[in-house]
Amino acid sequence: MAKLILNDAGQTREVVVAGELTLGRQPGNTIVLTDPTVSRKHVRIAKMGGAYVLDDLGGAVGTMVNGEKVTRRSLRAGDKIKIGNVEATFEDDAQPTDDFEKTMIGNASDFEKTLIGQVPPVESPPTPAAPATSSEPVHPLQAAVPVLPVASQPASLGAPSRQVPIPAQIILPSRRGFSKKLLMMLGAVAVALLALLVLPSMFAAKPVEVNWSEIDVLFKQGKLEDLKERIASIEKENLDDEGAKTLKQWKLRIEAEQENAEIEALIKVKGDLSEAYRRAQAGVNKYKNSSDRFLALSEQAYSGTFVVATQKSAAEAKGAISQDRARELASSLQEAVKKYRAQEAVLGELPQVEEAYQSCVVELDRVRKILDQLERATQAWNDVQTAHKVGEVGFEVESLTRLVDCSAESISAVAGPVNAADLLKNAKAFAEGSQAFDKGDYDKANEELSKVAATDFHAAEAGKMLDKIRQEADFRVGMRLYLAGNGAEALEALKNAKTEKAIVLRAHVKEIVAAWSNLTEMKAKANNIALLKEATMLLINLNKEADGWYFEQTGALVSSLRRQFFNIHYKGMENAFKARKYGDVIKAADTLVVEYEGEEFADLRMKLTDMKNMVVKTVKDETGRWVQQARVAWDKYKADPIVSSERTAAKSIPDSFRTKAKLLTDAFTLIAPVKDLARVLTPEEAKPALDLYDPIRNEALLQMEKLFVLRTQYGQLGNFQLAHCIEDMIHLLPDVPGNPYRNTDKDEKEMKK
C-alpha cells in the first residue's frame, strides 16, 4: 500500500495514495495544504503502469524530490518530497527501496533478447519516423523500454514505419491424408467438449431478481443494521453480472456511510481531530462518490487542529517579539479565526477548540497592537535618521514626536537604548533656536539654543550659532528698533556694523525707510494710482516677521487704496446696469471677484454677488420681451429677405436693401445680449433665444459673403466706386461674431493697389 507522510504547519498526517490525488491550497484538491507558499493546485500523484508518478502542475515555487527540482518523476519508496514549505515522504510497502527501474526492466538489450530472441541483421534499414506528438504523459518505465520491432500493418492504422527483420523460411513436410479412425476420435472429443460447455448452463439456477428500491428505502431511513443484514442475504443469492455490480456499489456506499458516521463521532464526541482528519483524507481517496462529505469532515478536523495549534504558538510568543514574527503570528491568528468561523456550527460544540478560538481572538488583537506600535516606531525612527542626514530639523522634530508616542518596548526594539524624550527636547530647542537665529531674533535664539544638551548631536551647531550671536550685538539692537518702526534709529545703531548680517540688515533698512518716505510724499499729493502701484511693489518685498511695522503699515495702505478703486469700479457697474449693459456688468463682477479674493475683501465680494444676482433677475424678467421683439423683426425679414437684385451695386444703396438690413440688424441686436447671458439662464429659459440666434447670425454671414464676393470682383476690375458701395452695404448688416467680411484699413490699401 502506497502512502504519503505529510508535515504541514507542524502537523504530521498520513494520506493513502490510491489511484490519483492532487495537493494544493484550493479546496477542490484531494489534499488541501494551508502553507502560503503552496500554489492553488500544485502537485498530482497518479498510478501509471504499476508505478506512482509525480507531476508538478506549475506551482510558483516548484516541487523538489530528494533535493532536486522536478516537473515529472516516478516515485520510489523513501523519496523526500518538498511542496513549498510542506515536506512529505513517499512510502510503498509493495516497492523495494533499491533501484526500482532496474528491478522492473533490467538491461535493455537483455530484455529485447528475452522477448524476441537474437535480432538478425537488416541491410540498410530506413530511418525511423519521428514519433507523433502526444499530450499524454509518458511513464518513466515506458520511456525506459526499448522500441520493439513489430509486423508491418496497414497505413490506415498508423503503424510505425520501423523495418522488421524477416525470419528464415520454414519448409513444412508434405500433407498426408487422415485415417477414418482418427476422424472418429476427433468427432468424439468434439461432442464431449460441447457437452461440457452446454450442459452446465442448461441445468444452472436462474439469477435472482433483487428489488433494489427496498434497499434504497432502508438506506434513506438510516437503518444501517437492517441494511447490512439485507445485503448479507443478497450476497448469498445467485446474481447476474449487473446485480453483482449493484451489490458491490451498495456495499461500498454502506461502508462509506458507516465510516462517515465514525469520523463525525471522532470530531463531535471524542474530539480526536487528528485521527478524524487522517481517516477523512483516506475516505476522500477511497470513496469517490462521497468525496464531498469526507472533504467537509476533513476541513472541519483540520480547521479545529489549526485553531488549537495556532493558539498554542501565540501563547508561547509572549514578551518582546520582532516585527517579522509579529506579522507572521498575526497572519496565522487571522487565518485561525477565519477557519473557526467557517466551521463554527461544528467547532463551537468542542470546548477545547472553542476555548482556543476565544484565545486566538484576544491574541490577534494584542499582536495587531504590537505590530502597529512596531511599524509606527520603525517608520518614525527611520524618518529621524533621514531628517538628521539631510539637515531637516523640522522634519526631525515631527518624527521624534511620533516616536515618543510609541511604546517603550517598540522604541527599544527598533532604536535600541535611546531616550526618545530627551532627543525630542533637544531637537525642539535647536529647531526653535535656529529658526529665531535665521530671522534675526537673537534674544529668542540665545534662549533656545542654550537649552541644547552638550551631549546631543545638535550641540556643536548650536554652539556655532551662539558664538555668532555674541559677535552680532549691534545687529540685534538694529533689528529690534527696525521691527518697531524706528528706521532712522535702527540705521544709527547699525552705522558701525562689522558682521555680515548687520551690514546686510543696514542696507535693507535703508532701502525700506527710503521707500516708505516716498510713499508718504505720494500720499500727500493724492496720486492714488501711482501710490497703489508703488505700495503694492513695496509690500511684495516685505515680510511680516522680518519687517514688522513697515509690513503692517504698507499692507493697510494697499488695502485702503484697493477699496477706493473698488468703489470706483462698482459705481461704473451701477451706471452700466442703468444703461442696460448687463453683459458688461456680469463680466466686471466676475473679474473683480477674482481680483478681490481673501478674507479681507469678503464684504466687497458680497456686494458683487448682490449686483450679479440683480442682473440675472433682470435678464430673466426681460428675456421673454427681447425674444418676442427679435422674433417679430426676424419673421418680417424672412417673409421678404434680401435677394440678388438688391445686392447689385449702383451709385446709391437701394432703399429696400436698407430696410431689410435694418430688420436683420434689429433682430440680431435684440437677441445677441441673451446669447451672451445664456449662462445665467436655465436651458428652458435660454432655448427660445438660442433657437433664434444661429439662424439670424447665419443669414447675416451669408449676405456678407455674397456681398464680399461682389466687392472683390469690382476691386479686381478696378471699379473702386462700386466696390466702396458694396462695402457700405456690408456695414449696414449686423457685425456678428466670427465675421471675416468687414474690411480693415489694410484691406482697403491692398484693394487700391
PDB file of all heavy atoms in Angstrom, residues 661-678:
ATOM      1  N   ALA A 661     -31.901  95.205 -44.316  1.00  0.00           N
ATOM      2  CA  ALA A 661     -30.689  95.117 -43.490  1.00  0.00           C
ATOM      3  C   ALA A 661     -30.972  95.596 -42.074  1.00  0.00           C
ATOM      4  O   ALA A 661     -30.461  95.043 -41.087  1.00  0.00           O
ATOM      5  CB  ALA A 661     -29.562  95.938 -44.122  1.00  0.00           C
ATOM      6  N   LYS A 662     -31.825  96.643 -41.942  1.00  0.00           N
ATOM      7  CA  LYS A 662     -32.167  97.137 -40.610  1.00  0.00           C
ATOM      8  C   LYS A 662     -32.970  96.099 -39.825  1.00  0.00           C
ATOM      9  O   LYS A 662     -32.785  95.909 -38.617  1.00  0.00           O
ATOM     10  CB  LYS A 662     -32.972  98.439 -40.729  1.00  0.00           C
ATOM     11  CG  LYS A 662     -33.259  99.101 -39.374  1.00  0.00           C
ATOM     12  CD  LYS A 662     -33.982 100.404 -39.555  1.00  0.00           C
ATOM     13  CE  LYS A 662     -34.153 101.101 -38.206  1.00  0.00           C
ATOM     14  NZ  LYS A 662     -34.763 100.271 -37.186  1.00  0.00           N
ATOM     15  N   LEU A 663     -33.920  95.406 -40.525  1.00  0.00           N
ATOM     16  CA  LEU A 663     -34.673  94.341 -39.840  1.00  0.00           C
ATOM     17  C   LEU A 663     -33.734  93.262 -39.316  1.00  0.00           C
ATOM     18  O   LEU A 663     -33.862  92.786 -38.176  1.00  0.00           O
ATOM     19  CB  LEU A 663     -35.691  93.725 -40.806  1.00  0.00           C
ATOM     20  CG  LEU A 663     -36.939  94.542 -41.110  1.00  0.00           C
ATOM     21  CD1 LEU A 663     -37.751  93.859 -42.197  1.00  0.00           C
ATOM     22  CD2 LEU A 663     -37.787  94.736 -39.844  1.00  0.00           C
ATOM     23  N   LEU A 664     -32.776  92.872 -40.151  1.00  0.00           N
ATOM     24  CA  LEU A 664     -31.823  91.829 -39.751  1.00  0.00           C
ATOM     25  C   LEU A 664     -30.955  92.312 -38.596  1.00  0.00           C
ATOM     26  O   LEU A 664     -30.698  91.579 -37.628  1.00  0.00           O
ATOM     27  CB  LEU A 664     -30.962  91.443 -40.960  1.00  0.00           C
ATOM     28  CG  LEU A 664     -30.126  90.163 -40.826  1.00  0.00           C
ATOM     29  CD1 LEU A 664     -31.028  88.954 -40.571  1.00  0.00           C
ATOM     30  CD2 LEU A 664     -29.314  89.939 -42.100  1.00  0.00           C
ATOM     31  N   THR A 665     -30.542  93.588 -38.682  1.00  0.00           N
ATOM     32  CA  THR A 665     -29.704  94.150 -37.609  1.00  0.00           C
ATOM     33  C   THR A 665     -30.489  94.266 -36.310  1.00  0.00           C
ATOM     34  O   THR A 665     -29.989  93.939 -35.217  1.00  0.00           O
ATOM     35  CB  THR A 665     -29.163  95.521 -38.027  1.00  0.00           C
ATOM     36  OG1 THR A 665     -28.412  95.379 -39.224  1.00  0.00           O
ATOM     37  CG2 THR A 665     -28.282  96.113 -36.933  1.00  0.00           C
ATOM     38  N   ASP A 666     -31.743  94.743 -36.377  1.00  0.00           N
ATOM     39  CA  ASP A 666     -32.570  94.867 -35.176  1.00  0.00           C
ATOM     40  C   ASP A 666     -32.782  93.503 -34.523  1.00  0.00           C
ATOM     41  O   ASP A 666     -32.706  93.375 -33.288  1.00  0.00           O
ATOM     42  CB  ASP A 666     -33.924  95.490 -35.535  1.00  0.00           C
ATOM     43  CG  ASP A 666     -33.797  96.965 -35.912  1.00  0.00           C
ATOM     44  OD1 ASP A 666     -32.738  97.560 -35.613  1.00  0.00           O
ATOM     45  OD2 ASP A 666     -34.761  97.499 -36.491  1.00  0.00           O
ATOM     46  N   ALA A 667     -33.063  92.486 -35.350  1.00  0.00           N
ATOM     47  CA  ALA A 667     -33.296  91.145 -34.796  1.00  0.00           C
ATOM     48  C   ALA A 667     -32.060  90.634 -34.070  1.00  0.00           C
ATOM     49  O   ALA A 667     -32.141  90.093 -32.955  1.00  0.00           O
ATOM     50  CB  ALA A 667     -33.694  90.179 -35.921  1.00  0.00           C
ATOM     51  N   PHE A 668     -30.884  90.829 -34.702  1.00  0.00           N
ATOM     52  CA  PHE A 668     -29.661  90.327 -34.070  1.00  0.00           C
ATOM     53  C   PHE A 668     -29.297  91.137 -32.831  1.00  0.00           C
ATOM     54  O   PHE A 668     -28.846  90.589 -31.823  1.00  0.00           O
ATOM     55  CB  PHE A 668     -28.497  90.348 -35.066  1.00  0.00           C
ATOM     56  CG  PHE A 668     -27.260  89.697 -34.514  1.00  0.00           C
ATOM     57  CD1 PHE A 668     -27.142  88.319 -34.482  1.00  0.00           C
ATOM     58  CD2 PHE A 668     -26.225  90.460 -33.981  1.00  0.00           C
ATOM     59  CE1 PHE A 668     -26.018  87.723 -33.940  1.00  0.00           C
ATOM     60  CE2 PHE A 668     -25.105  89.865 -33.446  1.00  0.00           C
ATOM     61  CZ  PHE A 668     -24.998  88.482 -33.425  1.00  0.00           C
ATOM     62  N   THR A 669     -29.498  92.477 -32.893  1.00  0.00           N
ATOM     63  CA  THR A 669     -29.170  93.333 -31.748  1.00  0.00           C
ATOM     64  C   THR A 669     -30.005  92.949 -30.528  1.00  0.00           C
ATOM     65  O   THR A 669     -29.525  92.974 -29.387  1.00  0.00           O
ATOM     66  CB  THR A 669     -29.410  94.806 -32.115  1.00  0.00           C
ATOM     67  OG1 THR A 669     -28.629  95.141 -33.259  1.00  0.00           O
ATOM     68  CG2 THR A 669     -29.041  95.722 -30.955  1.00  0.00           C
ATOM     69  N   LEU A 670     -31.255  92.577 -30.746  1.00  0.00           N
ATOM     70  CA  LEU A 670     -32.123  92.195 -29.632  1.00  0.00           C
ATOM     71  C   LEU A 670     -31.742  90.832 -29.051  1.00  0.00           C
ATOM     72  O   LEU A 670     -31.841  90.611 -27.841  1.00  0.00           O
ATOM     73  CB  LEU A 670     -33.585  92.158 -30.110  1.00  0.00           C
ATOM     74  CG  LEU A 670     -34.252  93.518 -30.320  1.00  0.00           C
ATOM     75  CD1 LEU A 670     -35.527  93.350 -31.116  1.00  0.00           C
ATOM     76  CD2 LEU A 670     -34.535  94.183 -28.972  1.00  0.00           C
ATOM     77  N   ILE A 671     -31.316  89.910 -29.902  1.00  0.00           N
ATOM     78  CA  ILE A 671     -31.081  88.537 -29.429  1.00  0.00           C
ATOM     79  C   ILE A 671     -29.651  88.307 -28.945  1.00  0.00           C
ATOM     80  O   ILE A 671     -29.383  87.405 -28.157  1.00  0.00           O
ATOM     81  CB  ILE A 671     -31.434  87.527 -30.553  1.00  0.00           C
ATOM     82  CG1 ILE A 671     -31.882  86.188 -29.937  1.00  0.00           C
ATOM     83  CG2 ILE A 671     -30.270  87.287 -31.501  1.00  0.00           C
ATOM     84  CD1 ILE A 671     -33.153  86.283 -29.135  1.00  0.00           C
ATOM     85  N   ALA A 672     -28.702  89.143 -29.415  1.00  0.00           N
ATOM     86  CA  ALA A 672     -27.292  88.938 -29.072  1.00  0.00           C
ATOM     87  C   ALA A 672     -27.022  88.997 -27.569  1.00  0.00           C
ATOM     88  O   ALA A 672     -26.303  88.152 -27.025  1.00  0.00           O
ATOM     89  CB  ALA A 672     -26.424  89.943 -29.819  1.00  0.00           C
ATOM     90  N   PRO A 673     -27.562  89.983 -26.815  1.00  0.00           N
ATOM     91  CA  PRO A 673     -27.278  90.011 -25.365  1.00  0.00           C
ATOM     92  C   PRO A 673     -27.765  88.756 -24.651  1.00  0.00           C
ATOM     93  O   PRO A 673     -27.137  88.293 -23.709  1.00  0.00           O
ATOM     94  CB  PRO A 673     -28.033  91.260 -24.885  1.00  0.00           C
ATOM     95  CG  PRO A 673     -28.200  92.103 -26.103  1.00  0.00           C
ATOM     96  CD  PRO A 673     -28.365  91.160 -27.235  1.00  0.00           C
ATOM     97  N   VAL A 674     -28.894  88.199 -25.095  1.00  0.00           N
ATOM     98  CA  VAL A 674     -29.406  86.988 -24.446  1.00  0.00           C
ATOM     99  C   VAL A 674     -28.447  85.825 -24.679  1.00  0.00           C
ATOM    100  O   VAL A 674     -28.208  84.996 -23.804  1.00  0.00           O
ATOM    101  CB  VAL A 674     -30.810  86.651 -24.972  1.00  0.00           C
ATOM    102  CG1 VAL A 674     -31.367  85.422 -24.257  1.00  0.00           C
ATOM    103  CG2 VAL A 674     -31.732  87.843 -24.773  1.00  0.00           C
ATOM    104  N   LYS A 675     -27.860  85.785 -25.891  1.00  0.00           N
ATOM    105  CA  LYS A 675     -26.875  84.749 -26.186  1.00  0.00           C
ATOM    106  C   LYS A 675     -25.689  84.867 -25.238  1.00  0.00           C
ATOM    107  O   LYS A 675     -25.207  83.879 -24.685  1.00  0.00           O
ATOM    108  CB  LYS A 675     -26.418  84.902 -27.642  1.00  0.00           C
ATOM    109  CG  LYS A 675     -25.206  84.053 -28.016  1.00  0.00           C
ATOM    110  CD  LYS A 675     -25.527  82.580 -28.062  1.00  0.00           C
ATOM    111  CE  LYS A 675     -24.335  81.801 -28.592  1.00  0.00           C
ATOM    112  NZ  LYS A 675     -24.589  80.363 -28.656  1.00  0.00           N
ATOM    113  N   ASP A 676     -25.200  86.115 -25.026  1.00  0.00           N
ATOM    114  CA  ASP A 676     -24.056  86.320 -24.134  1.00  0.00           C
ATOM    115  C   ASP A 676     -24.380  85.963 -22.693  1.00  0.00           C
ATOM    116  O   ASP A 676     -23.504  85.551 -21.930  1.00  0.00           O
ATOM    117  CB  ASP A 676     -23.596  87.783 -24.189  1.00  0.00           C
ATOM    118  CG  ASP A 676     -22.986  88.121 -25.546  1.00  0.00           C
ATOM    119  OD1 ASP A 676     -22.564  87.182 -26.248  1.00  0.00           O
ATOM    120  OD2 ASP A 676     -22.951  89.309 -25.899  1.00  0.00           O
ATOM    121  N   LEU A 677     -25.646  86.142 -22.301  1.00  0.00           N
ATOM    122  CA  LEU A 677     -26.036  85.898 -20.908  1.00  0.00           C
ATOM    123  C   LEU A 677     -26.770  84.575 -20.724  1.00  0.00           C
ATOM    124  O   LEU A 677     -27.417  84.351 -19.710  1.00  0.00           O
ATOM    125  CB  LEU A 677     -26.928  87.049 -20.423  1.00  0.00           C
ATOM    126  CG  LEU A 677     -26.251  88.425 -20.371  1.00  0.00           C
ATOM    127  CD1 LEU A 677     -27.274  89.509 -20.114  1.00  0.00           C
ATOM    128  CD2 LEU A 677     -25.174  88.446 -19.305  1.00  0.00           C
ATOM    129  N   ALA A 678     -26.655  83.694 -21.715  1.00  0.00           N
ATOM    130  CA  ALA A 678     -27.389  82.421 -21.628  1.00  0.00           C
ATOM    131  C   ALA A 678     -26.945  81.586 -20.436  1.00  0.00           C
ATOM    132  O   ALA A 678     -27.709  80.774 -19.903  1.00  0.00           O
ATOM    133  CB  ALA A 678     -27.189  81.620 -22.922  1.00  0.00           C
TER     134      ALA A 678
END
